[in-house]
């Protein structure tokens, strides 16, 4: 990565790495170490999360063939189905924030500047927010997944991730495709980016 950064410093192109190198705020630019950390994070965030989400989606449809049949019968459900996959099996367990001010929540006090970890898997199955939250239902029309964050902390790749999921669902929802799990997969324990223990065997017929 350091080699790529050095190349782009010498000869900038029309790519994200060159743009990041040229970004500045009040004359301050990202250092090489900051660039390495940022670009490696982008690489892993884009690859591991997509791989995990696609695997979760395939397993969900294999377990719930009637939901895949519903999408096959009505392709307009594809965007809802993608959001429901992300709600039902969020690919990150949680996200950390620093409190911008003193707050009191649930009987606890959090001081300004203290870290708070939000549990996304719990938020996405909150019965106060979703009716029958433990049911996978591609026809939900009120899904607002927390998977991609919000505000200034919104995921840079959210649009691409949704498009990838929607295209994969479109392929799986073609007439005549049937999914079947060869065995019951298990999640990698305590992984920040959730993924199944490999291999996950799914037959497609």
């Amino acid at each position: 990565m350091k080699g790529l950064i050095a190349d782009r410093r010498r000869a900038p192109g029309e790519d994200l790495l060159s743009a990041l190198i040229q970004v500045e705020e009040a004359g301050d630019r990202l250092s090489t170490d900051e660039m390495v950390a940022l670009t490696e994070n982008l690489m892993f965030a884009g690859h591991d999360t997509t791989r995990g989400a696609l695997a979760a989606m395939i397993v969900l449809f294999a377990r719930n063939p009637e939901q895949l049949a519903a999408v096959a019968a009505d392709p307009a459900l594809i965007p809802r189905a993608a959001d429901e996959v992300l709600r039902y099996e969020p690919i990150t367990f949680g996200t950390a924030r620093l409190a911008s001010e003193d707050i009191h929540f649930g009987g606890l006090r959090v001081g300004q500047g203290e870290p708070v970890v939000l549990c996304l898997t719990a938020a996405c199955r909150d019965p106060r927010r979703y009716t029958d939250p433990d049911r996978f239902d591609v026809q939900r029309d009120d899904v607002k997944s927390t998977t991609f964050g919000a505000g200034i902390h919104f995921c840079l790749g959210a649009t691409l991730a949704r498009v990838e999921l929607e295209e994969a669902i479109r392929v799986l929802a073609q007439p005549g495709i049937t999914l079947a799990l060869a065995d019951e997969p298990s999640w990698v324990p305590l992984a920040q980016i959730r993924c199944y223990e490999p291999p996950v065997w799914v037959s497609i017929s």
Side-chain angles (χ1 to χ4, degrees):
M1 191 58 70
K2 285 182 177 179
L4 284 173
I5 292 168
D7 288 344
R8 293 300 188 277
R9 286 195 198 282
R10 285 192 298 271
E14 303 210 359
D15 53 82
L16 178 62
L17 190 54
S18 297
L20 289 171
I21 288 168
Q22 296 172 52
V23 163
E24 67 172 87
E25 183 177 355
D28 188 23
R29 293 180 182 269
L30 293 169
S31 69
T32 297
D33 286 344
E34 289 170 332
M35 286 287 299
V36 168
L38 178 59
T39 50
E40 287 186 349
N41 185 52
L42 285 173
M43 258 192 345
F44 283 108
H47 176 266
D48 287 0
T49 53
T50 300
R51 179 180 60 174
L54 289 172
M57 177 201 69
I58 291 170
V59 169
L60 278 173
F61 280 127
R63 287 177 179 154
N64 301 274
E66 77 288 353
Q67 298 297 318
L68 186 57
V71 175
D74 183 6
L77 290 174
I78 289 174
R80 286 189 192 180
D83 283 338
E84 177 67 349
V85 167
L86 294 168
R87 179 199 72 85
Y88 195 87
E89 295 291 14
I91 298 308
T92 54
F93 270 115
T95 184
R97 298 287 185 266
L98 297 178
S100 59
E101 58 185 51
D102 293 346
I103 57 173
H104 291 83
F105 183 79
L108 299 174
R109 178 189 175 279
V110 179
Q112 181 180 7
E114 291 184 343
V116 178
V117 177
L118 311 175
C119 184
L120 301 180
T121 47
C124 288
R125 300 279 190 98
D126 188 344
R128 295 167 298 181
R129 174 62 177 82
Y130 295 107
T131 302
D132 198 4
D134 293 326
R135 180 169 56 90
F136 177 61
D137 182 2
V138 298
Q139 302 203 47
R140 290 184 192 273
D141 60 2
D142 63 342
V143 174
K144 187 172 181 179
S145 174
T146 56
T147 297
F148 296 120
I152 63 171
H153 298 291
F154 192 70
C155 174
L156 181 67
T159 301
L160 176 59
R162 278 204 175 92
V163 168
E164 289 170 330
L165 271 182
E166 289 177 13
E167 285 303 307
I169 293 170
R170 187 169 282 108
V171 170
L172 293 178
Q174 293 179 81
I177 288 184
T178 302
L179 303 176
L181 285 173
D183 55 19
E184 193 60 31
S186 57
W187 294 100
V188 172
L190 303 176
Q192 170 61 18
I193 296 177
R194 302 174 70 219
C195 58
Y196 284 117
E197 293 274 15
V200 177
W201 297 107
V202 179
S203 64
I204 302 177
S205 58

